[in-house]
Amino acid sequence: MINRRTVLLSGGALAALALGTGSAMAAGYPEKSIELLIPFSAGGGNDQVARALAAELDGILGQSVVPIQKTGAGGYVAAQAVATAAPDGYTLGHQSLGTLMLGSLMKEQVLDPMTELRFVAQMALIQSAIAVRADSPYQTLDDLVAALKAAPGDLAWGHTGRGGFHFVNGASLLAATGTEALDVPFKGSSNTVAALLGGEIDYAFLSTSNYLGFEDEMRILAFAADQRDDLLPDVPTVAEAGIDMVTVATPSVITVHKDTPDEIVTALQAAIREAVARPSYRERLNGMGIAPVFADEAQILAYLDRNLGPWKELVDAAAATAG
């Protein structure tokens, strides 16, 4: 099912892109304001990304893009609102893709995002970083893994909650290295950072945004990601450190109803591409510790096609262990 949809939508996206970018705007679209549903609490990083994009799109599209909070069920309340709206491009959804897809892999949801939503474009990328205190004896990821192997179960690691992408990356590291550690979940990143800096845990899986302001107190050993992070380009990935593990990033993406016409999706995609390239948007996201990274529909679907199988295997293994 996933592969078939990937082929169909990728082909449609590529055909639409052949028409051009801004010049391919759907005739008359948009003729009124657009709602952008945000499944995150006001003031958080994901909320600010959505609002930063909306501010840029106002000028690019020539109509207001109105951010509306639609929280609940790990993004699925907003997703269902998009899936049941008219397929006319006037109801957009912001989703944290890794979180959304992990939710669908862990339990049955109100909808299947792969068949009931269309992924328009990505406008940011949040990745997991493996962090220790600045005075930690672990200077590299090799050092940390060696310590995990030397004392199975003695070290403690923190994250922002079981089932989230930080947790899945942490479980993946342990599985890939054949090691054990005490799993300590916290409510939110600020509590995880406080526990790390307070010495309650030995290492943590966090985002780059959590590192800002603590540069002198925290050290990032590696990113559990396919690519280096734009904001900390000198920090290696786990693969570069020689660890073959499944990783989960959480791109920020815009979604629409699955039946939204290609010409509207193309118009939105071109507008988002322009917004992400603007210095004002990039500076705003960089200031939050979030990388402004664009990807089109075909690239998003290819990313999911590569990763959904490995993510499912990892989620199932973690559930079996917990049980």
Side-chain angles (χ1 to χ4, degrees):
M1 179 186 70
I2 292 172
N3 288 344
R4 181 173 179 272
R5 177 170 168 78
T6 299
V7 170
L8 290 174
L9 288 185
S10 296
L14 292 174
L17 285 173
L19 298 175
T21 54
S23 62
M25 296 285 277
Y29 175 84
E31 297 179 320
K32 61 181 182 179
S33 63
I34 298 169
E35 292 185 348
L36 174 56
L37 307 185
I38 305 173
F40 311 102
S41 300
N46 280 301
D47 173 66
Q48 292 183 60
V49 168
R51 291 176 183 277
L53 180 72
E56 301 292 347
L57 291 180
D58 280 355
I60 296 170
L61 294 173
Q63 294 286 350
S64 296
V65 178
V66 183
I68 298 173
Q69 246 68 39
K70 197 80 171 176
T71 61
Y76 278 87
V77 171
Q80 187 174 35
V82 171
T84 56
D88 55 9
Y90 290 100
T91 302
L92 313 181
H94 173 213
Q95 287 291 342
S96 179
L97 190 60
T99 300
L100 183 75
M101 299 313 299
L102 286 176
S104 72
L105 297 176
M106 289 176 180
K107 64 179 181 179
E108 185 175 352
Q109 300 289 349
V110 294
L111 58 79
D112 178 358
M114 290 300 297
T115 59
E116 298 182 61
L117 297 176
R118 189 165 179 181
F119 303 110
V120 177
Q122 172 186 321
M123 69 279 201
L125 180 64
I126 301 174
Q127 304 187 126
S128 276
I130 304 166
V132 297
R133 279 175 33 148
D135 61 358
S136 168
Y138 315 124
Q139 298 294 319
T140 66
L141 184 56
D142 283 344
D143 293 341
L144 177 61
V145 171
L148 289 167
K149 290 181 176 179
D154 283 1
L155 273 64
W157 68 285
H159 54 84
T160 54
R162 294 190 178 101
F165 83 112
H166 290 312
F167 166 75
V168 173
N169 283 317
S172 182
L173 175 66
L174 295 175
T177 56
T179 56
E180 299 175 16
L182 178 63
D183 158 22
V184 185
F186 294 93
K187 291 183 178 180
S189 56
S190 59
N191 290 328
T192 310
V193 170
L196 179 64
L197 299 183
E200 298 175 40
I201 51 178
D202 298 287
Y203 67 100
F205 276 74
L206 298 164
S207 300
T208 310
S209 58
N210 309 133
Y211 175 70
L212 291 185
F214 298 100
E215 294 89 343
D216 294 333
E217 301 170 75
M218 192 186 302
R219 179 165 58 251
I220 304 298
L221 301 182
F223 281 100
D226 294 336
Q227 63 189 66
R228 292 195 179 199
D229 194 279
D230 287 356
L231 300 179
L232 292 172
D234 294 332
V235 177
T237 66
V238 288
E240 291 173 316
I243 297 175
D244 181 14
M245 60 176 273
V246 176
T247 62
V248 185
T250 188
S252 293
V253 300
I254 294 299
T255 63
V256 291
H257 188 287
K258 66 180 177 64
D259 295 328
T260 303
D262 284 348
E263 58 268 25
I264 291 178
V265 171
T266 301
L268 288 168
Q269 186 170 277
I272 295 168
R273 184 193 298 271
E274 181 178 339
V276 174
R278 287 185 166 186
S280 53
Y281 177 83
R282 301 186 72 82
E283 289 170 6
R284 185 168 175 182
L285 262 66
N286 287 339
M288 295 188 283
I290 297 173
V293 179
F294 175 83
D296 62 28
E297 179 183 30
Q299 291 169 318
I300 294 169
L301 290 168
Y303 174 76
L304 291 174
D305 194 34
R306 283 195 312 272
N307 288 293
L308 282 177
W311 291 353
K312 177 61 173 171
E313 291 177 7
L314 187 60
V315 166
D316 289 346
T321 300

